[in-house]
Amino acid sequence: MKTNTQSFTLVNLQTVTMQIFAALVLLGTALHGAAPMTHSMMNFITASSQVPNFPEFVFVGLVNEIEVVHYDSNSRKYEPKQEWMIRVTGDDPQYWQRETEILFGDQQLFKNNIEVLKQRFNQTGGVHILQRMIGCEWDDETDEVKGYEQYAYDGEDLSLDLETETWVAPKQQAVITKHKLDNNKAWMDRYKHYHTVYCPEELKKLVNLGRSSLLRKDLPSVSLLQKTPSSPVSCHATGFYPDGAMMFWRKDGEELHEDVDLGEILPNHDGSFQMSVDLDLSSVKPEDWTRYDCVFQLVGVKEHIFTRLEEEKIRTNREKPTDKNGINIPAVVLPLVVLLLLLALIGFLVYRRRITGRWC
């Protein structure tokens, strides 16, 4: 899954909070016997100084953007986050213990690096974040691979350009480390081997190991939503997996591009995804609504989900009908019906009492 972090005296990257890790949510797709796609393996290391209620060191490993392993300085354990990851020890019983020891060493290294960086930037205290992102992508159709390596300190990046075999440093304080890394041929060869050989091989192994989870296809439930009669109608799909999906409105079978607002694909708490596309009906006559439909397509799945625009299908927040005096009609009718039924029951009991002289 990873290699030991090296002892760099500088490194930079973007500011990180707990929400970043919550956002590192599940994604996945097909491999053999399905649509071609790009798979990814990314490892994120975040070291922090004086951040309240946040571990000083966190490691998160993702495959296809699904968190599969986790380590932090509070637990000091390298642990699987997916059931299928437990099987990684099939031919390596010491895997979890060995990786725990490596990450504990990285934890001390990153803590020291923050202190070096604080001196370089003339900082004496306060909140500081140091992060490393390392990983690769693999196209299962072309077999093309790409590697990524990036550091950041308090929002400023230092990234590796594998094509030119140089580091890119936007900040003057990072130039010292850039030159040191650029001139270290042995380290550059090691980086290239990780990104072009080790990482892709590990990624292919993990994708195959977790195929039942990573490569599944879940279709969503689709609903039509509208806040008020004058609001756009939103076609909302939720519960689909993975996040490779398309959604659009059609009129008479032709895709619409005007009066349409496509929303972002967002994660659900259970690892599935949701998205919506709005249609402005302000210039459309009610009798023409049925000429419109919403189409959802999950990449790699032949079936499409079609939802025709019909008023009775729309779920809305609008208030229930009221009479001319502004009284909610159901609120009045329901108690009246209950009262009439009660009076009828009392009348029956009185009648029975007169006939039989008994209440029961």
Side-chain angles (χ1 to χ4, degrees):
M1 169 59 67
K2 56 176 255 341
T3 56
N4 196 5
T5 307
Q6 310 308 329
S7 178
F8 300 120
T9 56
L10 163 302
V11 259
N12 326 273
L13 225 163
Q14 46 209 339
T15 304
V16 169
T17 62
M18 186 71 82
Q19 287 76 14
I20 288 183
F21 293 102
L24 297 177
V25 284
L26 322 170
L27 193 270
T29 21
L31 178 56
H32 301 293
M37 66 165 294
T38 299
H39 303 273
S40 65
M41 183 172 78
M42 293 291 171
N43 297 327
F44 293 85
I45 294 178
T46 299
S48 59
S49 173
Q50 298 185 28
V51 178
N53 304 316
F54 191 75
E56 289 186 347
F57 183 88
V58 179
F59 173 92
V60 177
L62 302 97
V63 174
N64 285 3
E65 298 186 23
I66 297 176
E67 184 180 3
V68 298
V69 288
H70 181 95
Y71 171 95
D72 64 59
S73 54
N74 291 342
S75 67
R76 295 189 178 182
K77 288 184 179 181
Y78 184 68
E79 299 175 312
K81 301 301 287 186
Q82 303 294 324
E83 289 187 7
W84 55 266
M85 270 299 296
I86 299 175
R87 301 198 302 273
V88 78
T89 58
D91 56 354
D92 189 2
Q94 302 303 316
Y95 175 79
W96 297 107
Q97 180 60 34
R98 183 181 66 254
E99 296 298 317
T100 294
E101 293 173 357
I102 291 174
L103 283 167
F104 180 75
D106 290 346
Q107 176 181 326
Q108 306 308 311
L109 173 63
F110 271 68
K111 184 175 182 179
N112 293 336
N113 280 347
I114 287 183
E115 293 305 314
V116 171
L117 290 167
K118 287 166 65 177
Q119 294 177 16
R120 184 165 296 176
F121 284 85
N122 296 319
Q123 299 164 337
T124 57
V127 173
H128 300 286
I129 300 290
L130 173 62
Q131 187 179 16
R132 181 191 191 192
M133 183 277 288
I134 180 172
C136 60
E137 293 182 352
W138 162 57
D139 188 312
D140 64 19
E141 181 179 33
T142 65
D143 210 35
E144 179 184 4
V145 296
K146 293 181 180 179
Y148 302 94
E149 179 96 15
Q150 188 174 14
Y151 289 85
Y153 178 67
D154 290 350
E156 298 296 337
D157 295 345
L158 174 69
S159 58
L160 174 63
D161 187 334
L162 284 171
E163 292 186 3
T164 62
E165 298 187 16
T166 58
W167 288 81
V168 180
K171 277 283 186 177
Q172 183 63 35
Q173 289 87 341
V175 173
I176 297 175
T177 300
K178 166 185 160 54
H179 290 324
K180 182 178 295 187
L181 296 175
D182 285 349
N183 296 326
N184 193 327
K185 180 63 175 174
W187 281 120
M188 186 59 67
D189 290 341
R190 185 168 182 172
Y191 285 131
K192 290 183 64 177
H193 181 269
Y194 174 86
H195 290 299
T196 60
V197 179
Y198 175 81
C199 185
E201 289 180 353
E202 191 77 356
L203 172 57
K204 293 174 184 179
K205 180 177 72 175
L206 293 176
V207 168
N208 186 62
L209 188 67
R211 62 170 51 251
S212 61
S213 174
L214 295 171
L215 311 185
R216 75 182 194 270
K217 302 284 188 179
D218 294 338
L219 292 173
S221 60
V222 180
S223 304
L224 298 179
L225 310 174
Q226 188 179 35
K227 293 181 179 180
T228 68
S230 60
S231 300
V233 173
S234 177
C235 185
H236 181 257
T238 186
F240 60 89
Y241 187 95
D243 70 343
M246 295 186 295
M247 198 171 186
F248 53 91
W249 281 99
R250 300 189 310 176
K251 178 182 179 182
D252 298 331
E254 297 292 330
E255 183 177 351
L256 291 173
H257 299 284
E258 296 182 358
D259 299 324
V260 171
D261 184 16
L262 178 63
E264 297 181 21
I265 295 177
L266 303 172
N268 291 322
H269 71 279
D270 62 357
S272 64
F273 296 90
Q274 61 172 295
M275 68 183 303
S276 62
V277 56
D278 295 347
L279 174 63
D280 184 357
L281 293 171
S282 58
S283 60
V284 180
K285 298 178 181 179
E287 56 266 29
D288 290 334
W289 280 23
T290 54
R291 298 171 61 185
Y292 295 80
D293 64 358
C294 173
V295 183
F296 176 90
Q297 180 183 9
L298 190 65
V299 173
V301 176
K302 293 182 178 179
E303 306 94 283
H304 293 39
I305 298 178
F306 299 92
T307 306
R308 184 173 297 279
L309 179 58
E310 297 174 351
E311 187 172 5
E312 58 270 20
K313 292 182 180 179
I314 298 176
R315 298 166 60 184
T316 179
N317 293 329
R318 72 187 69 164
E319 295 182 358
K320 296 179 180 180
T322 58
D323 68 6
K324 62 182 180 180
N325 294 318
I327 301 174
N328 190 300
I329 295 174
V332 174
V333 171
L334 184 59
L336 182 59
V337 171
V338 173
L339 178 61
L340 291 175
L341 290 174
L342 182 60
L343 291 174
L345 177 61
I346 293 174
F348 171 76
L349 292 175
V350 170
Y351 172 77
R352 183 181 179 86
R353 159 83 171 155
R354 289 178 177 176
I355 297 299
T356 63
R358 294 183 297 120
W359 285 106
C360 60

